[in-house]
Amino acid sequence: MKAIYILSIFSIIMILACNKEENKPSGGDLLTYNVYLDLQKSDGTSFNEGEIEAKGGYLNEEGQLVYNGDWFQLPINLDSFEKTLFGPFEIGVSSGGGSNEPESGTEWVSNTLLLLRYQGITEIDTLRSRDSSRYPDFRYFDIFKNDSLLQRFNDPENYIEKPWYITIQK
């Protein structure tokens, strides 16, 4: 049930995160993508379930951070990964409905935020995903940690196999 709740929150975040002036997909099904979080303690061991809380957010039209609801425990993903991964953190624009591709030249930029609070650590990390596209020329998914670029996904010159995940060591 928690997983459904969290996925619903991230889906709502993605819809609300689209800036009306920058995000003008004209139709089609622009899929979202999942990034999982490999969250490690300073000694390299993984955090356990219940040791990390998260809160979603988005940038409104004025560029101000808007928080969504209360802190919730970030769940460990129980899919068949070889390591302990939290999440997923959804990135990408989803216009829903239809299976048509966007019109050529369609451009958008959307930002989604995820705040991470660690048990026993006072620092709160801000993860921001940025989905930027000029269709069909490029589509990049960037993950920033505290405003520093952490990882670029979907880069044809530096392709990374799925499932996508990022490692953060505290």
Side-chain angles (χ1 to χ4, degrees):
M1 185 68 177
K2 264 188 192 177
I4 293 171
Y5 173 71
I6 290 168
L7 289 174
S8 297
I9 287 174
F10 286 129
S11 296
I12 291 169
I13 291 169
M14 288 308 305
I15 292 168
L16 295 175
C18 296
N19 181 308
K20 290 180 183 177
E21 292 184 17
E22 293 178 318
N23 306 316
K24 297 180 182 177
S26 60
D29 193 11
L30 306 174
L31 299 175
T32 58
Y33 297 88
N34 291 328
V35 173
Y36 297 90
L37 308 173
D38 178 13
L39 302 170
Q40 301 177 359
K41 299 175 184 177
S42 60
D43 63 3
T45 61
S46 293
F47 280 94
N48 296 313
E49 190 161 20
E51 292 183 318
I52 301 173
E53 293 181 312
K55 181 185 278 198
Y58 63 96
L59 298 174
N60 66 15
E61 291 179 9
E62 292 80 36
Q64 298 168 331
L65 177 60
V66 177
Y67 298 102
N68 293 326
D70 296 324
W71 290 96
F72 60 90
Q73 287 189 358
L74 192 62
I76 291 176
N77 191 288
L78 299 176
D79 289 341
S80 57
F81 297 112
E82 294 177 12
K83 55 175 60 192
T84 301
L85 296 177
F86 290 83
F89 179 29
E90 285 187 359
I91 60 175
V93 174
S94 178
S95 64
S99 60
N100 300 325
E101 293 184 10
E103 290 179 20
S104 185
T106 299
E107 294 185 32
W108 66 85
V109 175
S110 67
N111 290 281
T112 304
L113 294 125
L114 182 68
L115 305 177
L116 299 175
R117 184 167 68 181
Y118 308 89
Q119 188 177 55
I121 300 173
T122 57
E123 177 187 19
I124 294 175
D125 284 333
T126 302
L127 296 184
R128 177 171 61 98
S129 72
R130 178 178 65 193
D131 173 10
S132 57
S133 179
R134 185 174 63 231
Y135 190 82
D137 301 329
F138 70 85
R139 186 172 186 192
Y140 297 128
F141 302 111
D142 298 324
I143 302 290
F144 297 85
K145 177 185 166 217
N146 303 330
D147 291 326
S148 296
L149 181 63
L150 188 61
Q151 182 68 58
R152 170 167 277 176
F153 297 101
N154 211 36
D155 184 349
E157 295 180 20
N158 187 23
Y159 186 73
I160 298 172
E161 293 287 331
K162 294 179 186 171
W164 292 338
Y165 69 89
I166 56 173
T167 299
I168 298 174
Q169 191 168 20
K170 294 307 295 172

